[in-house]
Amino acid sequence: MHPETVDLSAWRARALEFERQLNAVLVGMPRTVRLMTIAVFARGHVLLEGDVGVGKTTLLKAVARGIGGAYQRIEGTVDLMPGDLVYHTYVGDDGRPRVEPGPLIAQGSELAVFFFNEINRARPQVHALLLRLMAERTVSAFNREYTLPWMQVFADRNRVEREETFELPSAARDRFLMEVSVEAPDAREQLRGLMFDTRFHDADALIAAVEPGMLDHTRLNGVAQCIQNTVQSAPALDDYGVDLWLATRRPADYGVRLSDVDIDRFVLSGASPRGVAMLARAARVQAWLEGRDRLVPEDLHAVFFEAIAHRLCLSPVYETQRPLYARPFVTEVLRQVASP
């Protein structure tokens, strides 16, 4: 699909309706839903953060239903091996071994959403396969190459237990467009609804209310490219973005300070070139969703934490307390770098 054939106004209306329907499924999570909508139209992979039972799976099933195409999920376990993603072995009724396609290739090129639950329970060998999959959207199995052109990877981590877990290396984290937090709402009325409104007790019924295939997964790549080609920037905004980038790498030079932190030793490496390119990509989608064809600083601000924080490589003494320091650091970067 050529970009010039895309009616971005009609697609924006469709994207906002998609967002509205997701908000009907996930009560009290408008920011999370907006970030997921951005990820869908930026065609980027997403890390999900959140406690058990906050609705991550429900959200992803609703997203998959609205996108169309196939949805697959796999559970991270310490004994999971790369082959388990691409083939499934079992003994047939006749007593003979059978080998069939696994979750990555069972649906062929129709796979649109691949959810890796508790990814840090899986071993590094599995992470390595996932890296290739995310970068190339191809996987080799049964003496052939499978192409997955529409696939997005969504993964979440077990952030409570530490035993028998393997944290994602920096290279793997950098492949994800954003890390999105999925948290239960804190407004009392919303909590009352989640507890006593039986409508929220049947997740399948909520998901079924989402219009199936309303976005058409086979067209999203073309729409995404058109958005990137259409939403423009200005030299002053470009300079501002570069300063934000450099501030993540050399925070002391930009006056970034945190209490009880040696800022000169805080960051081992800041955002990567791929990371800031993905920041700009997400910001363009945010501008488009707001009805603009030109970036403004607020578009970068809207996605800065989710696009950048997980890419920071911190010194070991601070890495163990990343949740404590990441948001204050990013907030201070945005405060210290002058906006045009």
Side-chain angles (χ1 to χ4, degrees), residues 247-279:
T248 71
R249 301 172 70 86
R250 304 195 302 267
D253 293 351
Y254 286 83
V256 176
R257 297 287 186 269
L258 291 176
S259 61
D260 302 323
V261 168
D262 181 352
I263 203 66
D264 292 316
R265 299 174 55 200
F266 181 66
V267 177
L268 290 181
S269 63
S272 66
R274 174 170 51 214
V276 291
M278 292 297 98
L279 167 67

Side-chain angles (χ1 to χ4, degrees), residues 45 47 119 124 127-128 130-132 134-135 157 167-177 269-270 272 274-275 278 310-313 319 322:
H45 310 295
L47 267 175
I119 188 173
H127 298 164
L130 193 71
L131 278 179
R132 176 189 169 181
M134 293 165 63
R157 290 180 288 184
E167 287 305 323
L168 291 175
S170 297
R173 293 200 305 265
D174 198 56
R175 293 285 182 185
F176 288 93
L177 170 74
S269 63
S272 66
R274 174 170 51 214
M278 292 297 98
H310 67 285
R311 304 178 192 276
L312 302 174
C313 184
E319 182 66 38
R322 173 181 287 269

Side-chain angles (χ1 to χ4, degrees), residues 13 95 99 198 264 296 309:
V99 180
T198 56
D264 292 316
V296 297

Side-chain angles (χ1 to χ4, degrees), residues 86-90 96-101 142:
V86 295
Y87 59 81
H88 169 61
T89 59
Y90 65 99
R96 295 183 178 182
R98 296 283 188 270
V99 180
E100 293 191 354
F142 301 104

Side-chain angles (χ1 to χ4, degrees), residues 66-123:
I67 290 175
Y71 167 86
Q72 288 284 348
R73 168 178 173 155
I74 195 166
E75 301 293 325
T77 60
V78 68
D79 60 347
L80 187 72
M81 296 303 291
D84 296 326
L85 274 65
V86 295
Y87 59 81
H88 169 61
T89 59
Y90 65 99
V91 177
D93 294 337
D94 58 0
R96 295 183 178 182
R98 296 283 188 270
V99 180
E100 293 191 354
L104 274 181
I105 59 176
Q107 306 292 334
S109 62
E110 283 298 299
L111 181 60
V113 171
F114 182 69
F115 178 28
F116 203 131
N117 191 40
E118 294 197 341
I119 188 173
N120 58 335
R121 284 201 180 280
R123 293 180 177 274

Side-chain angles (χ1 to χ4, degrees), residues 145-164:
E145 192 92 348
Y146 289 82
T147 301
L148 310 169
W150 327 117
M151 183 207 63
Q152 277 185 277
V153 172
F154 296 85
D156 82 336
R157 290 180 288 184
N158 184 317
R159 67 181 185 182
V160 177
E161 297 166 295
R162 294 295 180 183
E163 294 183 1
E164 294 188 336

